[in-house]
Amino acid sequence: MRGLFISLEGVDGAGKSSHIGWLAEHFRNRGRTVRLTREPGGTAVGERLREIVLHEPMHPETEALIMFAARREHLEQVILPALARGEVVISDRFTDASFAYQCGGRGLPEARLEALERWVHEGLQPDLTLLFDVPDTVARARLAAARDPDRFEREGQAFFERVRAAYLRRAERHPGRIRVIDGTRNHAAVRVEIEAVLASLP
Ligand code: TYD
């Protein structure tokens, strides 16, 4: 069976993490082997890089390079082998997050990241990306309830608005792959919408 690569994206507080468990179940119920993973992270090296990038102050380009270094390892150790075995890989964030946070949020030129993307991906893209979209006010209210914010979660409203706008621009550019999910609705309604998207997969 052909491997399937799905990534989940959205600003912090958009609600993507609350859907990842049943999404995995959805495919397991259909007899598929599912590999759940996340970025930055997903490997021993990647998880150590995650600790650094989420907590240590650094130059925005260093931040971008660490994201792609962790991704290189993630592709090599986890994503490519699982896809080669025909598994379903569901990643909590992937490269769209770098374009949203490091370009939109931090202001790095997209051309820089496009070069890294070409280098690290070698042509691979997710088959499907679910972009959970919520206005800044909703995301902030959800985050306020969260514990121990990281370096990104401590950013101000303007940062999140830029991240969200960058995500939506990317969705406009890749309409076949990236599906925008209205994350303001309740869990059940969001789930129905995602199930409809999954049913439309080739
Ligand atoms: P996430 O796993 O969603 O955080 P949490 O554990 O709090 O749910 O993501 C960690 C942070 O990393 C998030 O704020 C977005 C950021 N990030 C980037 O800035 N660039 C990237 O390429 C990736 C993958 C994540």
Side-chain angles (χ1 to χ4, degrees):
M1 199 173 284
R2 200 180 136 267
L4 186 65
F5 181 20
I6 299 178
S7 61
L8 307 188
E9 298 282 0
V11 297
D12 298 271
K16 64 185 166 49
S17 305
S18 55
H19 293 282
I20 205 162
W22 77 257
L23 196 56
E25 274 313 298
H26 170 95
F27 287 103
R28 287 192 184 113
N29 290 339
R30 284 158 184 76
R32 304 291 302 254
T33 301
V34 177
R35 179 69 200 240
L36 279 182
T37 186
R38 69 169 178 180
E39 290 207 350
T43 64
V45 166
E47 291 295 326
R48 289 176 75 177
L49 292 173
R50 177 186 177 96
E51 271 311 299
I52 296 170
V53 79
L54 293 192
H55 300 292
E56 301 289 338
M58 64 184 69
H59 190 281
E61 291 185 351
T62 313
E63 192 177 279
L65 289 166
I66 291 180
M67 296 297 181
F68 274 94
R71 183 162 300 133
R72 182 70 191 89
E73 200 63 17
H74 194 205
L75 280 162
E76 182 70 16
Q77 303 279 342
V78 177
I79 298 174
L80 293 172
L83 292 177
R85 289 191 298 267
E87 296 175 9
V88 178
V89 176
I90 303 176
S91 187
D92 191 341
R93 299 191 185 283
F94 193 61
T95 298
D96 297 310
S98 301
F99 282 93
Y101 283 79
Q102 278 66 56
C103 296
R106 303 283 192 224
L108 292 185
E110 290 190 353
R112 284 278 160 87
L113 267 76
E114 281 162 5
L116 289 171
E117 183 185 32
R118 275 194 300 277
W119 179 12
V120 167
H121 282 217
E122 294 181 351
L124 182 82
Q125 289 292 348
D127 297 292
L128 171 70
T129 298
L130 299 172
L131 170 56
F132 291 80
D133 183 56
V134 294
D136 182 67
T137 44
V138 175
R140 305 233 112 209
R142 289 179 184 165
L143 274 188
R147 60 322 105 173
D148 196 16
D150 62 40
R151 234 157 46 74
F152 295 100
E153 292 164 341
R154 279 197 296 268
E155 287 289 343
Q157 180 174 341
F159 179 87
F160 281 106
E161 282 174 0
R162 291 197 302 276
V163 171
R164 181 190 184 203
Y167 265 134
L168 291 174
R169 269 200 310 279
R170 204 144 159 90
E172 273 174 21
R173 253 186 250 158
H174 302 277
R177 171 174 68 86
I178 304 180
R179 305 295 185 88
V180 181
I181 305 290
D182 176 358
T184 59
R185 289 164 321 147
N186 66 40
H187 194 278
V190 170
R191 187 170 166 161
V192 168
E193 189 174 344
I194 297 172
E195 279 168 345
V197 169
L198 296 176
S200 74
L201 281 180

